[in-house]
Amino acid sequence: MGDPDADWSKVGYAQQDALGTTKLQRYSRLTANASPEPVTKGKTITVTGLLSRANWDTGKYAGYTVQRVGLQFRSKSSSTYTSTLKTVKSDSTGNLKTTTTATVDGYFRYNFAGTSTTPAVKATGDYVDVQ
């Protein structure tokens, strides 16, 4: 009947030796919208967005405030985003807003590197037609 070497004093007991630290992070979301579309070459483009993360108390997403987020660009003919063009901070409600100059057709996106409580996230690139 059963395992003769079983330690019956440990039935229902889970021994966890050398247990490491558990990292628990909230889901995060990031958006980007570049406008106007189309834009004249050399004119200003405004890129807005929202950095938000799960709020466990409400079960909804809420703006993630005062966080550094990078603006990135990739040209229409490339598959790779540039390094950060500039860095902006989310405001008191998680909103992002910055401007840049239109030079060529391409995609703008925001990139959040993450924190100890919130994972990194990248917005889907928003295409801008430069004329």
Side-chain angles (χ1 to χ4, degrees), residues 44-102:
T44 299
I45 296 171
T46 301
V47 185
T48 58
L50 175 66
L51 174 62
S52 59
R53 67 179 182 167
N55 180 319
W56 293 331
D57 295 327
T58 64
K60 298 179 180 180
Y61 281 81
Y64 195 15
T65 64
V66 195
Q67 297 299 310
R68 298 174 69 79
V69 179
L71 178 66
Q72 296 179 323
F73 176 79
R74 78 172 172 91
S75 68
K76 178 180 176 181
S77 61
S78 175
S79 60
T80 306
Y81 278 89
T82 61
S83 56
T84 301
L85 297 175
K86 59 172 68 175
T87 301
V88 296
K89 279 189 178 179
S90 57
D91 69 12
S92 62
T93 57
N95 290 304
L96 301 160
K97 183 176 182 180
T98 191
T99 60
T100 190
T101 303

